[in-house]
Structure formats: C-alpha cells, structure tokens
Amino acid sequence: MDVDQVRAALEALRQHDLPTHGGQTLAYVYDSGLEEADALGREALAAYGSTNGLDPTAFPSLLQMEQDLIAMAARLLDGPPETVGTVTSGGTESILLAVVAARDARPDIGHPTMVLPTSAHAAFHKAAHYFGVRPIFADVDTETGRAIASRMTDAMQEDTVLVVASAPSYAHGVIDPVTEIATQAQARAIRCHVDACIGGWLLPYLRRDDPELPAFSFVIPGVTSISVDLHKYGYTPKGASILLHRTPQLRRPQLFSSAAWPGYTMINTTIQSTKSGAPLAAAWAVTQYIGDEEYARLAREVHEATSNLIEGVGDIDHLRVFGEPQSSLVAIAGDDQLDVFTLADELLARGWYAQPQLRSVGFPPTLHLSISAATVPRIAELLDALRGAVKSAVAAGPPVLDPVLVATVDALDPSSFDDAAFHELARLAGLESAGTLALPNRLAPVNAILDRLSPPLREALLTGFLDRLTQQSAQTSSST
Ligand SMILES: Cc1ncc(COP(=O)(O)O)c(C=O)c1O
C-alpha cells in the first residue's frame, strides 16, 4: 500500500468502532473535551513510540517523567514522603502487581488468600487466577452496594496477605468504608490495597469541596497501596496507570531482576519488559497541560452532571439507580417491565453506548454509565435518549428466547464444554452463519442468555466465543 492507501485503510478500519470522543460512549473511553490536551497526547505518543522502558538507565527521560507522575499521584492521594510508585500499562497491571507483591512479601504462607468485597473489579479475579492467591469474597450491602467492614474483618484469616477496597467500585460507583477496612487489616498486619483505578484522579478533587465524602487515600494509616489510572479520569491516552506503595519496603517484592541467562541483565518494575514509552510520555504531557486547577474544575463539573443524571433517572418510570453512587459512575436498573439489555440496544440505536452488566449474587442486571467531561454539556440529551429508549424497550418487552436454545444452554456443563458444543450453540443462537461468527446488531438476546447462567458457564461460553472470534480474525487477515 502507498501512504494514502494506508491512511484510507486505517480510517475505514475504524468505521465500526465506538466513538472515542464526543461524550456519547459511556464506558471504555474518557474524554476531557479539551482539544489541546488531546493534541499534546498524540504528539507525545508519536515522539516516544519507539522508546523502550525496558531499562530505565537507557532512556532516562522515561524515568524522569515516571517520577514526576508518581509525585503528582502521591500528592493527590496524601502519600507520605517515602511513597514510591510505578507507572504500569493499566488498572489491571497495577492490581496484578499489588497482589503479587503482597503474595511474595509472605513466602512463609504456603496457600495465601486475599479478602475482597463481591463488588471488587474482576482484575482481582484475574490476579487470583494467575498468582494462586485464593480469593475470599465478602458480601456487600445490596441496598447501597457498599462493602460491609465487619464482613470483611470476619473473612480475614491467618493466611490472608491482602485486603481490598474500592474507591469507587466500577460496577456501581460506590465508595467502600476504607477507613474501617484498612484499620482492621492493619491490626492484623495485613496489607490493604485501595482500588482507586477509576476514582483516584477525581475523588481527591471532590473531597476538597465536600469533606463528607469518605476518605480512601494514604491519609488512612492502614492503606498500604493504591492503584489509580491515568487513562481514565487523568484523561490521558490509553496505556497508563499508577501503582503507589506507602513505602519502598512494601514495594520491594514487586521488583524483578534476572541475571541468570546469557543476555542483558533484566530489571523490571512491571509485568511488561520491553514497553513503549509512548503512553507514559503522553500521560506526562497531558497531566502537565491540564494541571491541578483544571482537573479540579473537570471533576466538579463531572460530579455535578452525574448528580443531575441521577436525579433525572429517578424521574423516569421503570428506571432506578442502583446503590448509592458517589462519584462519576451510575448503574441503572429496570423494573419487571423493563429489560435493561433491550434498553442498551435502544440507547445504542440513539447513538449512546451504555455497558450491560449481568446479574450477580445480590446485584440486579444493570447498565453502566461512566460520565466524563465531554458528556457534561450533554446530560439533557442523554436523559432524552433514556426516556425514548425506555419507552421503546418497555413496548418491545424482553427478548423472546428460542426454547430449544434455552434448553440446550441450561443443560450445559462448563467442565465438558468444548469447541463442538460452542459451535452448536453459536449456530442455535444465530451467531454463526456459513461457519462465520458474527454478533447481531441487537445484543439483548445474547445478554439475556448469559444472564440466566451461572458464572462458570458464562465464563466457558465467553472464553469459547473469544477463542473463535480471535481465530476468525487471524483467518480473515491472512486471506486479505
Ligand atoms: C475500579 C477499577 N479497577 C480496575 C480496573 C481495570 O482497569 P484497566 O481496564 O485499565 O485494566 C477498572 C477499569 O475500569 C476499574 O474501574
């Protein structure tokens, strides 16, 4: 391809992607609405795309920018002077590293556990799976969505290496009682990680105006580590998060070096070895440009817009906000006449993407909405779209599922679910024609099927789906 063809092809490839800007995509992306911040981010991505964070002595500029970002985060999150940090590729990597550091700090414990509320992010499930740390789940208050400190305390054991709280939870935007949880963990000499991936760059600004908002930072002595994502409410390009530890000693087990092979000496703070310096440089550029005062303004506006949205949702028949959200996220539930998955399809038809969340123990199925700065001037439009979408969804009713499909799905056994079973199911569900897997425009029937299944069965189906989807992409690309 020549230059123009490549550009045109790139443009065409994006045609079916969700929009990253404009404020109508209410998950996955966070738009500051500040054109210059975006432009600076893009410039830094381009300038640093080929640098390598593999070795901080080879590219000292990356080390410098990383230290600047960590200092900013530590100030924001009340870190003591000894606070140390690492810039990682995202929230999940920050969480993986917090868990592995907690595990490796206790080599005396053969079968480590971690205690987390059922509302904690799935990244902790992934960490448990990767690192062999058994999760112990504590029920949350199903009215407020908040972790219950006494349940968390009851779940802590001799072999517990980490206790987790969210500020706020992704699914419902609820801040856990971090002070109580961290204090109990500290009394048992257990580490306490606060997952502030989504709220860590926003809540501190809100707390400046509203001291009633609960504390969640290093101001609480028992908090040992905090994750905060730059690529969410720092409004930086994707690929940047920060993991802070209260002291270098707490972080030490996270660090890795290898000199027992014939190549270069390997020294890593993160899971990735070779890593582009681009997301780090872009995060540095954007945060320097936006700065503290502007972040405070954006946070206030987002919070106010979220409150207006919550109030507006309360006035729409069939809809309610789940739990007691306190930041910039809202989870919407429906009554028995409103299927939220149909609502998601109706919203998408009106240009708004809200993210379906399946039912879980104690939690109804909901739609997740993350409000970012670019959505602020569009709350009235969003409420209009919601009103129209609710009307259509109630009129349409929940998706009618093929009884043969339902019977097949209900009889599935996750332990013996194989490619042939997936193939048959995809065919029955109309997701496959002529051997090609394709998602329908309206996803409500697929979500309705998943919603009725147990988590292990859902996971078997989803893994089967991903496996097929990614094989297909490889086949398609090799044939073009
Ligand atoms: C509270 C929380 N923790 C962890 C994560 C995982 O972050 P990432 O998707 O950047 O890996 C998210 C993402 O939304 C989150 O909201």
Side-chain angles (χ1 to χ4, degrees):
M1 291 187 193
D2 66 25
V3 171
D4 291 336
Q5 285 170 322
V6 173
R7 288 201 179 112
L10 281 173
E11 188 75 23
L13 276 166
R14 286 194 64 179
Q15 206 179 307
H16 300 292
D17 291 356
L18 285 169
T20 55
H21 290 77
Q24 289 189 261
T25 306
L26 303 170
Y28 304 116
V29 298
Y30 303 81
D31 179 5
S32 68
L34 303 173
E35 268 172 39
E36 282 192 322
D38 279 355
L40 272 173
R42 283 195 300 275
E43 280 167 38
L45 286 175
Y48 279 83
S50 300
T51 58
N52 193 343
L54 170 66
D55 180 346
T57 64
F59 294 91
S61 63
L62 300 182
L63 186 61
Q64 180 62 53
M65 287 188 283
E66 182 172 24
Q67 291 309 306
D68 290 346
L69 283 164
I70 289 160
M72 235 175 137
R75 266 198 309 276
L76 207 54
L77 295 163
D78 309 303
E82 317 79 78
T83 306
V84 288
T86 308
V87 172
T88 72
S89 63
T92 300
E93 191 180 11
S94 293
I95 287 168
L96 290 175
L97 289 169
V99 173
V100 83
R103 183 196 71 175
D104 290 353
R106 296 297 306 271
D108 54 313
I109 296 180
H111 298 283
T113 63
M114 67 175 149
V115 172
L116 56 156
T118 51
S119 53
H121 194 277
F124 292 96
H125 301 217
K126 188 173 187 176
H129 174 70
Y130 279 5
F131 303 135
V133 178
R134 184 168 65 84
I136 301 176
F137 294 101
D139 286 340
V140 308
D141 182 321
T142 50
E143 286 300 310
T144 61
R146 201 165 288 127
I148 304 167
S150 61
R151 293 282 173 90
M152 299 280 296
T153 307
D154 291 347
M156 297 176 200
Q157 306 180 348
E158 290 282 295
D159 58 9
T160 301
V161 297
L162 187 68
V163 170
V164 173
S166 311
S169 61
Y170 177 78
H172 309 118
V174 169
I175 306 171
D176 287 334
V178 180
T179 303
E180 290 85 338
I181 293 170
T183 306
Q184 289 300 329
Q186 189 180 28
R188 290 160 182 76
I190 304 172
R191 292 178 179 221
C192 175
H193 179 79
V194 175
D195 179 6
C197 280
I198 203 158
W201 216 269
L202 182 113
L203 290 173
Y205 294 109
L206 301 183
R207 267 177 55 77
R208 285 180 193 173
D209 299 336
D210 180 3
E212 299 280 290
L213 267 183
F216 67 94
S217 66
F218 287 116
V219 85
I220 304 162
V223 170
T224 53
S225 58
I226 302 179
S227 47
V228 51
D229 292 356
L230 293 156
H231 64 199
K232 293 192 171 83
Y233 286 98
Y235 297 114
T236 75
K238 290 298 178 210
S241 165
I242 295 178
L243 172 62
L244 295 177
H245 276 101
R246 179 182 283 277
T247 65
Q249 192 198 358
L250 285 162
R251 185 184 62 168
R252 190 60 185 264
Q254 176 199 319
L255 309 183
F256 180 81
S257 70
S258 177
W261 74 305
Y264 57 87
T265 47
M266 188 152 116
I267 44 170
N268 295 155
T269 53
T270 57
I271 292 172
Q272 292 181 301
S273 273
T274 279
K275 54 186 177 189
S276 171
L280 165 66
W284 187 89
V286 170
T287 51
Q288 293 291 324
Y289 173 73
I290 295 183
D292 207 49
E293 255 178 56
E294 186 72 348
Y295 275 123
R297 181 183 71 81
L298 294 174
R300 271 184 222 118
E301 289 184 3
V302 162
H303 186 243
E304 205 177 297
T306 310
S307 304
N308 293 339
L309 175 65
I310 290 171
E311 208 180 302
V313 166
D315 291 338
I316 302 177
D317 277 352
H318 308 291
L319 280 191
R320 74 186 164 93
V321 167
F322 177 82
E324 292 179 2
Q326 283 177 295
S327 57
S328 56
L329 318 173
V330 181
I332 293 178
D335 65 8
D336 53 5
Q337 292 176 62
L338 175 67
D339 173 62
V340 286
F341 305 131
T342 308
L343 179 64
D345 288 342
E346 289 296 336
L347 277 173
L348 195 58
R350 288 162 175 78
W352 293 87
Y353 179 83
Q355 193 174 46
Q357 304 189 127
L358 303 177
R359 82 181 59 239
S360 183
V361 183
F363 304 110
T366 50
L367 294 187
H368 171 101
L369 285 69
S370 284
I371 305 305
S372 62
T375 310
V376 169
R378 310 193 62 179
I379 293 296
E381 267 179 82
L382 171 57
L383 283 166
D384 269 350
L386 269 169
R387 274 185 283 271
V390 166
K391 236 183 220 163
S392 303
V394 169
V400 180
L401 301 175
D402 173 358
V404 178
L405 175 62
V406 170
T408 309
V409 163
D410 286 351
L412 287 175
D413 173 0
S415 63
S416 59
F417 186 71
D418 57 10
D419 279 356
F422 180 81
H423 189 64
E424 176 58 11
L425 205 65
R427 197 188 56 75
L428 274 175
L431 299 181
E432 198 174 272
S433 71
T436 304
L437 195 61
L439 279 182
N441 284 337
R442 296 181 72 91
L443 277 172
V446 175
N447 285 317
I449 292 277
L450 289 172
D451 200 47
R452 58 186 288 128
L453 301 177
S454 65
L457 251 179
R458 288 175 186 167
E459 287 159 7
L461 283 181
L462 291 167
T463 313
F465 174 76
L466 184 63
D467 193 15
R468 282 294 311 278
L469 188 71
T470 48
Q471 288 176 31
Q472 191 164 291
S473 309
Q475 281 154 15
T476 316
S477 60
S478 62
S479 64
T480 46

